[in-house]
Amino acid sequence: MSHFWTNYHSHNYYCDGVESPEAQVQAAIQQGVQTFGFSSHCPVPFTNGWSMKRDRLDEYLSEARALKEKYRGSIELYVGLEIDYIPGVCGPADFADQLDYTIGSVHYLGTNWNGEPWEIDGATEGFMKGLVEVHDGDIEGVLRQYYALLRQMVQQDRPDVVGHLDKIKIHNIQGSLYDEESDWYKAEIDQTLDAIAEAGCIVEVNTRGVYKKTLDIYPSEAILKRMRERDIPIMINSDSHTPAEITLAFVDTAHQLRQIGYKMVRVLVQNEWKDIPFDKDGLSLGN
């Protein structure tokens, strides 16, 4: 019984990743990936250090589609974007008709001390400055806004995949800002998971927190257990920014998911979303 991996969350030099899309494809093949998706950060109408420039979008789409044809028979390739959900500014629906799939993520929450979009998954220094100067240190209020925005996204601008669900926890070093076991936090999670389940979105299990931050997968094991109770479909993604990261931490993550009770992952294969069995060695189409 042969095993393989898939990864639909990847970044290359069109945004804040390194190396070319073709270098990603070649590395994916070497790492036993059978289906791979390009998902550069979508263009946004303001300046930041990691999004694709608007004038490069057509080139990105064209190159990705050309690679689909070039490597047909060696690997299945799909063209996506990781799309920022910012109400009134941008969201998955703005790009969906040009793509094979969409990843919807919340990277910004309101505005910062300068009236600019406040990045909530960047450097902790900037996050703390916004928390203190704009939100008077009210981390509970910020988290409630964050999860409310995720709910709004899946209800009003549904992506195929929800990106790094609880990534805002990167600032909660050793529980210094909030307790993930507190009743109010678990209630926010439950409301958000209920909305995701109703919308029928896939939630990615993102391994970047493990290999890059030495933290945890996104979402946490506690959240994954609650997702399992709701039969929310998952996929395993690495959020790779270099070709070498495409399958990092997949084996341990797959084992962890099996321990939780997941037996299937939802993936885009043969141009359809399908549930495929997996174990710690990867996905399998065998019996």
Side-chain angles (χ1 to χ4, degrees):
M1 181 170 61
S2 61
H3 288 81
F4 61 93
W5 294 111
T6 64
N7 181 25
Y8 301 87
H9 192 158
S10 67
H11 300 281
N12 53 56
Y13 62 23
Y14 279 95
C15 55
D16 61 342
V18 301
E19 298 195 41
S20 67
E22 186 160 19
Q24 290 182 299
V25 174
Q26 293 170 347
I29 293 171
Q30 292 171 357
Q31 293 173 42
V33 173
Q34 182 170 301
T35 307
F36 182 78
F38 303 106
S39 64
S40 284
H41 289 291
C42 76
V44 292
F46 52 86
T47 300
N48 64 23
W50 42 270
S51 293
M52 184 190 308
K53 302 302 182 186
R54 173 67 66 172
D55 61 6
R56 299 206 73 192
L57 178 60
D58 288 344
E59 181 185 357
Y60 163 80
L61 295 173
S62 177
E63 182 171 353
R65 290 168 184 153
L67 290 170
K68 288 180 69 169
E69 295 304 316
K70 180 175 179 178
Y71 285 88
R72 187 178 298 277
S74 298
I75 187 172
E76 280 190 49
L77 298 176
Y78 293 95
V79 185
L81 285 170
E82 183 180 11
I83 302 167
D84 287 278
Y85 180 66
I86 308 174
V89 177
C90 61
D94 295 332
F95 302 92
D97 63 352
Q98 304 176 77
L99 306 171
D100 295 321
Y101 69 99
T102 56
I103 299 175
S105 297
V106 173
H107 297 110
Y108 292 98
L109 188 62
T111 55
N112 65 13
W113 52 96
N114 288 325
E116 302 164 340
W118 181 36
E119 185 179 346
I120 54 81
D121 78 335
T124 295
E125 180 182 2
F127 177 82
M128 292 303 299
K129 183 176 175 66
L131 176 63
V132 172
E133 295 189 13
V134 180
H135 296 275
D136 298 321
D138 181 12
I139 186 63
E140 179 177 337
V142 166
L143 286 163
R144 288 186 183 278
Q145 289 180 46
Y146 173 75
Y147 285 109
L149 197 56
L150 281 168
R151 294 193 292 271
Q152 182 178 336
M153 176 180 71
V154 301
Q155 290 166 342
Q156 299 183 17
D157 197 351
R158 178 190 177 278
D160 295 307
V161 181
V162 177
H164 45 62
L165 180 66
D166 62 345
K167 193 178 181 185
I168 197 168
K169 72 185 177 188
I170 60 175
H171 308 296
N172 191 34
I173 302 169
Q174 296 182 335
S176 57
L177 291 178
Y178 60 96
D179 180 5
E180 293 184 27
E181 291 300 312
S182 62
D183 288 342
W184 68 265
Y185 184 79
K186 290 192 289 187
E188 285 295 322
I189 294 297
D190 284 340
Q191 289 180 54
T192 304
L193 296 183
D194 287 343
I196 290 171
E198 184 175 355
C201 297
I202 304 161
V203 172
E204 70 167 3
V205 181
N206 184 313
T207 65
R208 190 165 179 79
V210 177
Y211 68 81
K212 190 69 175 179
K213 299 288 186 178
T214 319
L215 290 171
D216 191 8
I217 50 177
Y218 314 120
S220 67
E221 182 170 315
I223 295 175
L224 284 163
K225 289 178 178 178
R226 302 157 105 91
M227 288 169 46
R228 183 70 188 89
E229 294 170 356
R230 293 166 170 81
D231 291 323
I232 293 173
I234 60 167
M235 62 168 48
I236 303 172
N237 288 333
S238 70
D239 199 348
S240 57
H241 284 64
T242 72
E245 296 173 346
I246 288 172
T247 59
L248 283 186
F250 275 20
V251 171
D252 288 344
T253 297
H255 177 70
Q256 185 176 1
L257 290 169
R258 291 284 298 188
Q259 294 295 107
I260 291 169
Y262 275 101
K263 297 179 180 179
M264 311 284 280
V265 290
R266 185 162 295 175
V267 293
L268 184 59
V269 294
Q270 299 172 345
N271 295 304
E272 295 181 15
W273 291 106
K274 298 181 180 180
D275 291 322
I276 295 180
F278 75 99
D279 58 29
K280 67 178 180 60
D281 297 315
L283 286 66
S284 175
L285 295 174
N287 295 321

